[in-house]
Amino acid sequence: MATTPADPECANPLLLRWIGEWLEEARHRNSMGITTYKKAYDSMKACPLRFNHPSEAQQLHGVGPRLCDRLTAKLVEHSSKRPLQDDQESVPPKKGRKPRPYVPSFRTGPYAILLALSSGEDGSTQGFTKSEIIELAQPDCDSSFTAPSDPTKFFTAWNSMKTLIGKDLVFERGRPLRKYALTDEGWDVARRVRRANVVDQPADPTAIVESGHKSRDPSASTPIPTSTNKEQSTADSQDTARLSTAQSRRDRNRNWDWVWEDAEEGISDRADGFDAATSDATGWRCSPPGTEPDVLARPAVAATRQGIEDADRLGLEAGRIGETGSRALADQAAFPPAFDPLVLEPSTFAIHLVLDNREVRAKEDRTYIQDELARRGVKPIMKSLDVGDALWIARRKGADGADMTGSEQDDIVLDWIVERKRLDDLVGSIKDGRFREQKFRLRKSGVKNVIYLIEEISMTTESFGKYQEATESAIASSQVVDGFFVKRTQKMDDTIRYLARMTMLLKSIYESNPLHVIPSRVLSDDNYLPLLAHLRGTKPSVDYHITYEAFANLASKSNFLTLRDVYLKMLMCTKGITGEKALGIQKRWATPYHLIRAYQRCGHDEAAKLKRMNLMATELVGTVGRKSIGKALSAKVADVWGSL
């Protein structure tokens, strides 16, 4: 490489020579630092002052602290090899703040690019093309290198390359096919990152779980967990080790509660039946009876009586309209129905994620979610789901180990379901009433573990400001009243990673245990929820499931809808009529016909008009729970039903 000669008339020839060498090196690499070194070289050449220390050169145009530090290091190296020449005296360097070396955040774009570029021979400057870097870097990055995390934005993880080039860690060369390679400083950073990965990886995978699950004071917990929205610095690197060692077994002793703790996510959740012998390896810990976990646990129906009360509240009991579910069930001599459950032994089925085929990233990119899940080792089954956006099934395997899809009993629904909402969609569903209707159908599905996943995308103050309080209230109600587990993510890539990790976790839990399936012939819309509540109360050590076909029929928006269900939904279309108030109205006027007749009996004169407006306010005093129907709400209902 040609070297720029030092000018003998320069007051600081040694410093000028070193800057010239770096300038030629930058030209060879086609680095963006050419301009910086050229300005520094010209300033040093024209300077008539003699410097006692390289740090004094910072007063020149184009010479900054970083270049002075590099000149100082070069002077120290030069002095250790041979005595200083007369033209440059050694002066102790000035004490100053040592700049912190650049360290990229874990699993970010710069982190993955540095690992990809350092995957070749150590110190090599051969370089990689953009497509080669993306292929090597994508497994180490949480964000996509090809598609923006938000359809409204244009930035991908590849934009991090500009940051690395600006910091002189990467240089590019070649036209039109550009190649990127690490500079000497880039290699230093890449080596530090690789050493840190080796040090942070424990020899025993169970050490990850033990170190991440520390006991905390339950009294210090808050009833409603909030989103931390922090970088998951070690989440994905630890998942593989943790999930690969998970060998959970059902615990037959229900005197103890088992709680799953996820250190990376900062959540915990109750589970039904796991063996203490495997608790350390899987991340399950035991909680003494009568104590509560330190974060929100998902309440489940634990007794027949509680299940019947829930059925009453949802309006799903059998019998004539207007009677309570408990009375109707008491009249049924055949409840609970006698049946022999179908038992699927371990290794005869496999766990799969089922994704609603309407869950897309954008209209022009409809396969992004399933492609990213497949890249993470989870190939989803695409179906049109009647309730929820994602759930998990156990699919039976044939003698050859292949999945079976011919019979109704080949797909069994597990007790986990996900409802995904972007923040703007959540606000919209609260405004138009879909939020309450979807929660109603999630409760009606009978699935014990409901995950309400919210993607907190950025929204303008105008569109979100006045609905912020209503949104937070709706989220809190979903947690406390409905018992849903609320999971918050920053972007779609975080959602995809969460679904992939949940799939791996459920595989480790279910595939080593037998599954008990309720025959579809004994199920009906009337006895489904009470039967589940009865089984969970009388046989808590056994989890019962149903086939996917039966689940789809029971959860359908139109199938098995009774007159009462339609009536309640019609009442709840009026803003202010909650499920509790709708039930109170239905108990007083059993059908829409009875309600319309009540308004007609009020008459049609001016006095009758006032009577119609106050009908519900006067007739339903103290019969609709904690809050009665006021005159304003009564008038709104009369405007709709009183004019029919």
Side-chain angles (χ1 to χ4, degrees), residues 29-45:
R29 292 178 173 178
N30 195 23
S31 172
M32 294 179 64
I34 295 177
T35 304
T36 302
Y37 289 123
K38 184 68 169 88
K39 290 180 181 179
Y41 183 84
D42 293 340
S43 299
M44 184 66 71
K45 183 177 180 180

Side-chain angles (χ1 to χ4, degrees), residues 292-499:
E292 290 296 327
D294 50 329
V295 293
L296 180 69
R298 186 180 299 103
V301 179
T304 306
R305 179 179 179 183
Q306 180 64 38
I308 294 175
E309 291 174 355
D310 288 346
D312 290 342
R313 180 167 58 88
L314 296 175
L316 300 173
E317 72 281 2
R320 63 185 182 276
I321 296 175
E323 293 184 343
T324 62
S326 55
R327 182 180 303 173
L329 289 176
D331 293 340
Q332 295 185 15
F335 185 85
F339 66 91
D340 293 326
L342 172 67
V343 180
L344 301 183
E345 297 298 333
S347 74
T348 62
F349 59 88
I351 304 302
H352 295 276
L353 170 66
V354 179
L355 193 65
D356 188 30
N357 54 20
R358 291 159 293 190
E359 288 296 300
V360 297
R361 179 178 175 273
K363 291 183 179 180
E364 62 277 3
D365 192 4
R366 305 185 66 87
T367 62
Y368 178 78
I369 298 179
Q370 58 192 91
D371 292 344
E372 287 297 306
L373 284 170
R375 188 179 61 79
R376 296 176 182 272
V378 178
K379 187 175 182 180
I381 300 173
M382 307 303 295
K383 289 179 178 287
S384 179
L385 299 180
D386 290 296
V387 61
D389 297 316
L391 54 83
W392 287 268
I393 63 171
R395 174 165 287 182
R396 297 178 64 185
K397 296 190 293 187
D400 56 352
D403 291 341
M404 299 174 60
T405 57
S407 172
E408 174 195 353
Q409 297 178 345
D410 289 338
D411 290 344
I412 311 301
V413 178
L414 304 182
D415 266 337
W416 296 83
I417 192 169
V418 175
E419 178 71 23
R420 169 181 170 259
K421 287 286 186 185
R422 285 187 11 151
L423 190 57
D424 53 353
D425 185 32
L426 177 61
V427 173
S429 65
I430 293 174
K431 293 165 61 177
D432 60 20
R434 288 182 294 114
F435 177 73
R436 289 183 297 174
E437 191 265 344
Q438 288 170 347
K439 289 202 303 181
F440 172 82
R441 296 179 57 244
L442 284 170
R443 292 196 302 264
K444 183 180 176 181
S445 69
V447 177
K448 184 165 54 176
N449 304 295
V450 179
I451 302 173
Y452 211 87
L453 194 150
I454 301 173
E455 291 181 8
E456 296 181 323
I457 63 171
S458 58
M459 294 181 62
T460 61
T461 306
E462 292 76 12
S463 58
F464 182 65
K466 60 181 179 179
Y467 296 106
Q468 182 174 2
E469 185 176 348
T471 303
E472 294 298 332
S473 176
I475 294 174
S477 173
S478 300
Q479 291 176 299
V480 178
V481 178
D482 302 298
F484 298 167
F485 173 74
V486 176
K487 167 66 180 176
R488 304 186 187 217
T489 60
Q490 285 278 331
K491 52 190 176 182
M492 181 175 287
D493 290 333
D494 295 341
T495 299
I496 294 171
R497 184 171 66 253
Y498 180 76
L499 292 176

Side-chain angles (χ1 to χ4, degrees), residues 138 153 178 199 241 363 378 546 554 575 586 595 629:
Q138 189 61 76
K153 299 180 180 179
R178 295 186 181 182
V199 172
K363 291 183 179 180
V378 178
I546 63 175
L554 291 169
K575 187 176 181 181
Q586 190 274 330
L595 180 58
I629 295 179

Side-chain angles (χ1 to χ4, degrees), residues 159-174:
N159 292 92
S160 305
M161 179 62 78
K162 295 181 180 179
T163 302
L164 297 176
I165 294 176
K167 293 182 177 293
D168 205 20
L169 301 179
V170 175
F171 68 92
E172 59 178 336
R173 68 171 184 270

